[in-house]
Amino acid sequence: MTEAADVRDWWGRLGLSGLVDIHTHFLPPQVMAKVRAQFDAAGPLIGRPWPLTYRDTDDVLVETLRSFGVERFTALAYAHKPGMADWLNRWAADFADRVPEALVSGTFFPEESAAAYVEARLDSVEVFKIHVQVGNFSPLDPLLDQSWGLVAEAGTPVVLHAGSGPVPAAYTGPGPVASLLARHPRLRLVIAHLGAPEYAEFLLLAESHERVHLDTTMAFTDFFSDMGGVFPADLLPRLRDLGLGGKVLLGSDFPNIPYPYLHQLESLTRVELGDDWLRAVAHDNAGALLGLPPI
């Protein structure tokens, strides 16, 4: 069987209509080229060789996800310097116009103009992305405070990479996120990578805050486990409860992954949290969070 057939067989056995992937990346070509170069060079924020399995044009990558039966996916762009975010937001809006399965994605960065361009896109953006590690900024930066307030009031989900994996940075970790939630308790956050490696702390944030979720991006895969990202077995019952409670969503990091897409799905299966959990994580939880109508 082809990989696409194997992926479809995986979700078909669960009785699903397909997958909803909250954590995929599509970027302007010149930005994607630089991202791929960082992975190829095993740059300092990556920390180890990272051979990319999928490397092609956007059109081919979109068709790949379609062949897998991914009903909805994101184009999570993220800014790492001033003057970049609004341009990325315009590109992502155009991408979603061309690709009906793509959620309208957005980002913001600590700069004087942030609140203005965030407010201008609140009616259209379906999911924001913030990458604390790559952006090298604190989520508590005063220049972001108004933007966080706007996003919290709108209820738009924010996929937030704040865990210290794969490499710690100055502002990663659960502490700043806990402080952010103290300021803006209605923020609808999706913590990327289950918060690796600070799994316990981020699980607690999801348990104690109504609007905090987790995504499974790279979790339980052989590659991620080899990087020291092993999920503690004693936390699995809590992860199961969170998933059945609507709080855990499928993420993959496609196309920037060093293994086949199917491996992420099989890695979730082998955790043995049950078919109901898999159905919720692979499709239903994201659909409910995002209020997704059928295509």
Side-chain angles (χ1 to χ4, degrees), residues 75-288:
L76 298 183
Y78 45 88
H80 65 275
K81 61 183 179 180
M84 188 178 185
D86 197 32
W87 169 65
L88 289 172
N89 293 341
R90 293 194 297 272
W91 184 90
D94 290 342
F95 178 82
D97 281 343
R98 302 192 307 271
V99 180
E101 299 92 343
L103 297 163
V104 181
S105 302
T107 190
F108 48 96
F109 188 84
E111 54 192 334
E112 294 289 348
S113 59
Y117 62 68
V118 167
E119 185 171 27
R121 294 195 175 271
L122 278 180
D123 289 340
S124 59
V125 169
E126 295 171 281
V127 58
F128 284 96
K129 166 69 174 186
I130 298 294
H131 204 313
V132 170
Q133 183 211 33
V134 173
N136 194 33
F137 59 84
S138 171
L140 302 173
D141 191 306
L143 289 171
L144 290 176
D145 198 55
Q146 189 176 353
S147 296
W148 286 124
L150 289 166
V151 172
E153 183 64 26
T156 310
V158 182
V159 176
L160 177 65
H161 185 140
S164 298
V167 177
Y171 304 107
T172 57
V177 180
S179 297
L180 177 65
L181 288 165
R183 293 184 186 180
H184 302 285
R186 291 185 57 76
L187 272 174
R188 199 179 299 275
L189 299 182
V190 180
I191 305 299
H193 305 280
L194 299 181
E198 295 100 347
Y199 294 112
E201 294 90 338
F202 280 110
L203 254 69
L204 182 59
L205 288 178
E207 290 166 336
S208 57
H209 292 78
E210 179 185 357
R211 292 185 161 198
V212 175
H213 300 69
L214 308 165
D215 82 32
T216 66
T217 303
M218 300 191 78
F220 309 111
T221 63
D222 296 337
F223 183 87
F224 209 51
S225 297
D226 289 344
M227 295 170 64
V230 177
F231 190 90
D234 64 316
L235 298 181
L236 287 173
R238 292 166 61 187
L239 185 67
R240 182 179 186 276
D241 290 345
L242 284 168
L244 294 175
K247 292 270 198 137
V248 183
L249 286 62
L250 174 67
S252 69
D253 246 347
F254 178 92
N256 301 324
I257 48 177
Y259 45 75
Y261 190 93
L262 179 66
H263 180 55
Q264 174 73 85
L265 304 176
E266 293 176 333
S267 298
L268 297 178
T269 299
R270 69 187 182 186
V271 181
E272 297 184 340
L273 295 182
D275 286 355
D276 288 343
W277 187 83
L278 290 172
R279 278 188 283 268
V281 169
H283 187 276
D284 297 346
N285 291 348

